[in-house]
Amino acid sequence: MTNREAAIKIIRRLHSNGFEALLAGGCVRDMLLRRTASDYDVATNARPEDVMKIFKRTLKVGAKFGVVIVLIEDKKVEVATFRTETGYADGRHPAAVKFAGAAEDAGRRDFTINGMFYDPLKKEVIDYVNGRADLKKKLIRTIGKPAERFGEDYLRMLRAVRFSTQLRFAIEPRTFSAICSNSKRITKISGERIAMELEAILVSPNRSAGVSLLVKSGLAEVIFSGFSAEDAKFGIKVLAQLRKKVDFALALAAFFAYCSVEFAIEKCKVLKLSRSQTKHIQFLLEARGKLLNEKMSLAQLKLIVSEPYFWDLYELQRVIQKAEHKSVAALVNLRRRIKALGDVELRPKPILNGHALIRLGAVQGPGLGQLAEEMYIAQLEGKLQTKEQAEQWVQNWLKKHKTIEK
């Protein structure tokens, strides 16, 4: 059973119990645009308690706001009672909810293209907000007055940019003007929610247009204070060159490509990223320029190629070169060297461990670490291939350094 089939099954069941039920929001927009929808939400005049009586398997995640999750086989479908909302004191959540009809419910939603309903039984689009007209015009427009809609939920400003980016729609002038006027209030939204919207913008193939809107509206500067116009201009150029499919960390590194590592990591703290994402971004930014070294030794090559984010680094360096109108010849040559390595193990286990080095006469301390590192580099360079070769090399190293110490 698909998500759509599960939603329609719920709608049929609600109808058979005397209630009105419709597909609502983004799935209707995507259906009209002939896009694949990820979620299919149901809106109904049935109260939450009615929904929970009709369906045996439900989750009361937002019952006080009129929202119940209905479980159909392995699918979860959000079923929401038609409602109006008032009193958004925190700029995010309504203080009061009043159950209403479909037309009133459409009026509380964010953008006209998201405010339509669809009756799958009658195969009829129900549009109280002129959403179909804006779909044809390829416009993102708030339902009602933009300032009021954004005042209810400031996250909608980022959602407007996200929809504009993903759908390649323009933002209607009054709507965009309201985003610019209210951009400073985006700080009322949690870093995690901001990160979710930014990720959707940055992983989109149209990401450079989305970031241009973030910069033009003032949202980028508010979210990342101190992010200069010069930083932004270069970041947009780099993002425009990126391959279509990238993850959030690579896109953020590209966004901060003109900034210092310290600045970028500090500014990303607001997004509450995972430790692995932060580590990913830090590696990419710290290693900028390293792949352009055409005199890179074999050991250096093996070590950097074996890094888990190496190919993201390669892509980042490629797009930085493109953005600066510089040659990518060094990267092309590097790729040839990598191909020539074949199936060789990039980070093999050291031939001799620390205990073996001590048995050969090495003393614990900083010198032991230096010896182990230099021996491993010789191994990666292909100079040491057997235990006997490694032991002889270590003995020569110890003699040499004893002479130096004297």
Side-chain angles (χ1 to χ4, degrees):
M1 181 180 290
T2 64
N3 289 335
R4 188 176 192 276
E5 288 168 343
I8 292 174
K9 187 173 183 179
I10 290 168
I11 288 171
R12 289 187 187 279
R13 187 89 172 271
L14 288 167
H15 269 266
S16 67
N17 280 271
F19 295 106
E20 181 185 5
L22 305 164
L23 290 174
C27 65
V28 180
R29 175 201 68 226
D30 289 341
M31 178 193 74
L32 293 173
L33 291 174
R34 300 182 186 279
R35 288 164 52 95
T36 302
S38 54
D39 296 308
Y40 286 83
D41 297 334
V42 173
T44 178
N45 62 349
R47 300 290 180 97
E49 58 270 26
D50 297 322
V51 175
M52 288 185 282
K53 282 179 184 177
I54 294 169
F55 300 96
K56 292 181 181 178
R57 299 172 63 223
T58 59
L59 300 172
K60 296 193 294 180
V61 291
K64 67 178 181 178
F65 295 112
V67 181
V68 174
I69 300 294
V70 175
L71 307 174
I72 298 284
E73 294 184 6
D74 63 336
K75 304 300 180 186
K76 295 180 180 179
V77 179
E78 184 177 293
V79 179
T81 304
F82 296 135
R83 66 188 188 272
T84 58
E85 299 172 341
T86 54
Y88 296 81
D90 65 350
R92 181 77 183 99
H93 304 99
V97 167
K98 182 180 178 182
F99 296 134
E104 292 86 355
D105 185 83
R108 72 170 176 85
R109 294 174 182 262
D110 53 7
F111 306 109
T112 59
I113 61 170
N114 297 334
M116 296 175 284
F117 301 106
Y118 180 69
D119 187 336
L121 307 184
K122 295 180 180 178
K123 300 188 186 306
E124 177 182 46
V125 175
I126 300 162
D127 182 7
Y128 299 105
V129 294
N130 293 320
R132 291 189 90 167
D134 282 341
L135 272 185
K136 288 180 181 178
K137 294 175 186 174
K138 297 188 175 183
L139 273 183
I140 307 296
R141 185 199 309 268
T142 58
I143 295 170
K145 295 178 180 178
E148 288 181 11
R149 288 288 85 83
F150 294 135
E152 291 166 353
D153 182 355
Y154 295 120
L155 189 66
R156 287 172 172 169
M157 296 188 289
L158 279 174
R159 281 169 59 82
V161 176
R162 192 228 316 162
F163 288 127
S164 174
T165 304
Q166 293 176 328
L167 300 175
R168 297 179 184 266
F169 282 16
I171 300 178
E172 182 267 330
R174 289 195 311 128
T175 300
F176 189 71
S177 177
I179 294 173
C180 297
S181 301
N182 288 277
S183 61
K184 290 181 180 178
R185 294 181 171 86
I186 197 64
T187 54
K188 291 181 176 287
I189 301 300
S190 72
E192 293 89 344
R193 295 307 302 269
I194 290 173
M196 286 176 66
E197 294 298 329
L198 279 183
E199 180 170 5
I201 293 166
L202 286 171
V203 301
S204 166
N206 194 35
R207 59 185 71 90
S208 62
V211 172
S212 294
L213 287 174
L214 290 175
V215 171
K216 189 177 178 183
S217 65
L219 287 168
E221 189 178 351
V222 176
I223 295 168
F224 304 114
S225 60
F227 191 67
S228 72
E230 195 174 1
D231 296 334
K233 187 177 179 181
F234 188 71
I236 291 167
K237 281 183 180 180
V238 174
L239 287 165
Q241 297 289 342
L242 274 178
R243 63 177 183 250
K244 282 189 176 183
K245 289 188 178 181
V246 298
D247 64 15
F248 191 27
L250 173 54
L252 274 173
F255 181 65
F256 286 108
Y258 202 66
C259 306
S260 70
V261 179
E262 295 73 22
F263 178 87
I265 297 303
E266 180 63 30
K267 295 309 166 186
C268 282
K269 285 180 181 178
V270 71
L271 303 178
K272 307 290 175 61
L273 301 176
S274 69
R275 189 177 297 177
S276 64
Q277 285 177 313
T278 302
K279 187 178 177 183
H280 191 165
I281 295 165
Q282 187 164 346
F283 167 76
L284 294 178
L285 294 178
E286 283 180 344
R288 282 172 296 182
K290 287 186 178 181
L291 303 188
L292 302 177
N293 176 16
E294 299 218 50
K295 294 181 180 179
M296 187 187 299
S297 70
L298 180 59
Q300 289 173 318
L301 176 65
K302 287 180 177 179
L303 287 171
I304 200 160
V305 172
S306 63
E307 288 286 349
Y309 309 123
F310 170 76
W311 287 109
D312 276 357
L313 174 61
Y314 187 96
E315 173 67 3
L316 179 63
Q317 193 64 61
R318 183 188 71 81
V319 295
I320 288 174
Q321 296 301 104
K322 291 282 189 181
E324 293 181 329
H325 303 291
K326 292 181 179 178
S327 171
V328 295
L331 296 175
V332 173
N333 292 335
L334 179 68
R335 196 162 191 132
R336 289 196 189 111
R337 287 186 69 189
I338 294 169
K339 190 175 181 180
L341 290 173
D343 297 326
V344 67
E345 189 176 1
L346 295 172
R347 285 209 188 200
K349 185 178 177 181
I351 296 172
L352 301 176
N353 60 24
H355 296 296
L357 296 177
I358 291 171
R359 281 198 300 271
L360 289 168
V363 180
Q364 285 188 338
L368 178 62
Q370 182 185 350
L371 166 58
E373 183 179 343
E374 289 185 23
M375 185 201 71
Y376 191 58
I377 288 171
Q379 180 182 335
L380 291 177
E381 293 284 357
K383 296 172 184 175
L384 306 178
Q385 297 178 0
T386 67
K387 184 179 178 182
E388 291 72 23
Q389 287 176 337
E391 288 177 343
Q392 184 61 53
W393 187 93
V394 169
Q395 288 168 355
N396 292 338
W397 190 95
L398 290 171
K399 285 178 184 177
K400 177 183 174 184
H401 282 74
K402 188 174 287 188
T403 304
I404 292 171
E405 287 172 7
K406 289 180 181 178

